[in-house]
Amino acid sequence: MMNIAIIGSRGIPAEFGGFETFAEELAVRLVQRGCQVTVFCENSQQYRQSVYKGVQLCHIRTPNIAGLRSIWSDLTGIVTCLQGYDVVYMLGYHTAFLFFLPCMFGVNFFVNMDGLEWQRKKWSSFIRAYLKVCERLAVYCVPHLIADAKAITDYLTSTYPGSALKFNTIPYGAIIPEDTDPDAVRELGLMPDTYDLVVCRLEPENHVLEIIEGYAASSSDRTLVIVGDHHSGSDYVDTLLQVAGDRVKFLGTIFDSYKLTVLRQHCRAYLHGHSVGGTNPSLLEAMSCGNYVIAHDNPFNREVLADRGRFFRDAEGVTKHIDDLDARGISPEFGKAMKERIRKKYDWETITDLYLQRFFETCKTGR
């Protein structure tokens, strides 16, 4: 029985973002395949039991100080995992200055390299420089690296020569949900198929401003619904609120997966502006609902969508696609093609098997 530790997320069951959902989906499936799995959780987690669906949970007391909380959580997790585990899987590299510890102790240590975090415009110049250094440290220090998109692997291996043998590309996954009742979307104050949808953090690299401006310039009479924290008070969010007109409706942050599925299944189209991540969970979830996707044109989104998406580079591109959509409508085959791509490329069961195979090979050969 392989004993695996997963650290770097806030914990499971998922209450926050992509890493938490990833940890839950992977850990539960690894347990189902006979592994013993421990997920390290911050004490901010509402779920306080020691076991979740067969996964052991180790809750870490962390200071309630942003930044320091995650550093302390990662440090505690890494030190705890120096002995007793066949594989330790770290999600993210923002504490890469700690990664020498498991390497010194001969731990089978894997790191998920996430996206190009240092490119996020929300960070100060200092933090962006720090994250770039952490990226470099992780690539050169850690023996086993996972990227969730080929475009991330290509970037890292070209930026850091000699690192190619360390990398495996294993994507994020998604589940095709059951159909939801159209009446459920009415409870959110919307009518089915009368709105287009955005779900993201309201940050510059997610191109929300371009989406709003492009939508406003279109001739569509539909509503643009945006799910994200519009009460943050950031300069960027203030700009969004100023630019948004009557056809834009902000719903705030929604973590409830059922409500998000309802919104996705009963929208007309999903607009996806993410540009610095790898395989983005929100995009996969839209595809799993059969959404017509209009996405920012970058290598990550093109890799995920292949020939099934529509792409924009600026506000004018958004306007063009919305007007074309109003004029031509959507073929039912489009949604079927999206779901089929999820089944073939982003199925959690297949992804779990890839992880299990990689972990087993490392435990057996040390490589």
Side-chain angles (χ1 to χ4, degrees), residues 90-333:
M90 178 77 194
L91 306 182
Y93 59 82
H94 66 279
T95 52
F97 61 90
L98 300 171
F99 292 173
F100 74 94
L101 288 168
C103 297
M104 284 179 57
F105 278 76
V107 175
N108 289 323
F109 188 55
F110 287 76
V111 172
N112 186 306
M113 292 301 292
D114 198 14
L116 308 182
E117 291 299 305
W118 59 272
Q119 289 190 6
R120 294 189 183 276
K121 297 176 182 178
K122 68 176 182 178
W123 302 125
S124 67
S125 297
F126 173 78
I127 293 178
R128 292 174 71 180
Y130 166 77
L131 290 171
K132 182 64 174 174
V133 170
C134 284
E135 178 186 276
R136 179 182 294 270
L137 283 173
V139 172
Y140 284 130
C141 174
V142 177
H144 310 293
L145 300 169
I146 304 288
D148 65 16
K150 183 178 181 296
I152 293 289
T153 300
D154 291 345
Y155 157 73
L156 291 170
T157 53
S158 63
T159 303
Y160 305 103
S163 64
L165 293 178
K166 295 184 173 187
F167 274 94
N168 281 87
T169 303
I170 305 178
Y172 198 92
I175 299 171
I176 297 176
E178 298 292 330
D179 291 341
T180 59
D181 189 335
D183 287 338
V185 81
R186 296 185 176 92
E187 296 175 6
L188 298 173
L190 300 166
M191 295 294 291
D193 199 40
T194 63
Y195 63 94
D196 298 321
L197 182 65
V198 175
V199 179
C200 68
R201 292 188 177 97
L202 305 185
E203 298 170 351
E205 60 270 13
N206 291 338
H207 296 92
V208 188
L209 180 59
E210 291 86 345
I211 291 173
I212 291 176
E213 290 176 336
Y215 209 90
S218 75
S219 59
S220 180
D221 59 357
R222 293 172 184 260
T223 300
L224 178 64
V225 173
I226 299 178
V227 176
D229 183 9
H230 63 292
H231 297 299
S232 68
S234 71
D235 291 342
Y236 186 72
V237 169
D238 287 345
T239 300
L240 299 181
L241 294 173
Q242 291 170 12
V243 171
D246 294 339
R247 288 193 292 134
V248 178
K249 182 172 183 176
F250 291 91
L251 294 186
T253 303
I254 298 176
F255 289 116
D256 185 303
S257 60
Y258 177 76
K259 288 182 179 179
L260 290 171
T261 298
V262 167
L263 286 167
R264 289 185 176 108
Q265 287 189 340
H266 301 293
C267 71
R268 177 186 63 163
Y270 180 80
L271 290 95
H272 183 78
H274 295 67
S275 62
V276 300
T279 304
N280 184 268
S282 186
L283 176 55
L284 295 183
E285 287 159 6
M287 294 168 65
S288 72
C289 290
N291 286 160
Y292 184 97
V293 177
I294 302 170
H296 182 263
D297 193 355
N298 60 67
F300 312 115
N301 294 336
R302 283 193 174 272
E303 179 181 338
V304 173
L305 288 162
D307 59 351
R308 292 164 178 80
R310 302 294 179 265
F311 299 94
F312 71 90
R313 290 186 176 273
D314 49 28
E316 289 76 12
V318 174
T319 302
K320 176 182 179 300
H321 285 304
I322 294 299
D323 285 340
D324 286 349
L325 193 54
D326 280 352
R328 301 178 184 178
I330 304 173
S331 166
E333 298 304 312

Side-chain angles (χ1 to χ4, degrees), residues 36-48:
Q36 182 174 329
V37 183
T38 301
V39 173
F40 285 74
C41 310
E42 294 182 5
N43 62 356
S44 58
Q45 282 285 108
Q46 295 181 14
Y47 187 87
R48 304 298 298 173

Side-chain angles (χ1 to χ4, degrees), residues 312-365:
F312 71 90
R313 290 186 176 273
D314 49 28
E316 289 76 12
V318 174
T319 302
K320 176 182 179 300
H321 285 304
I322 294 299
D323 285 340
D324 286 349
L325 193 54
D326 280 352
R328 301 178 184 178
I330 304 173
S331 166
E333 298 304 312
F334 196 96
K336 294 178 182 178
M338 284 292 192
K339 292 182 179 181
E340 185 60 24
R341 181 152 179 81
I342 292 293
R343 292 188 186 96
K344 287 185 176 180
K345 178 77 174 177
Y346 299 103
D347 173 65
W348 271 121
E349 302 300 332
T350 302
I351 289 165
T352 303
D353 289 339
L354 290 173
Y355 269 105
L356 191 60
Q357 179 182 356
R358 185 67 188 91
F359 292 161
F360 179 78
E361 287 174 355
T362 298
C363 290
K364 185 177 180 180
T365 66

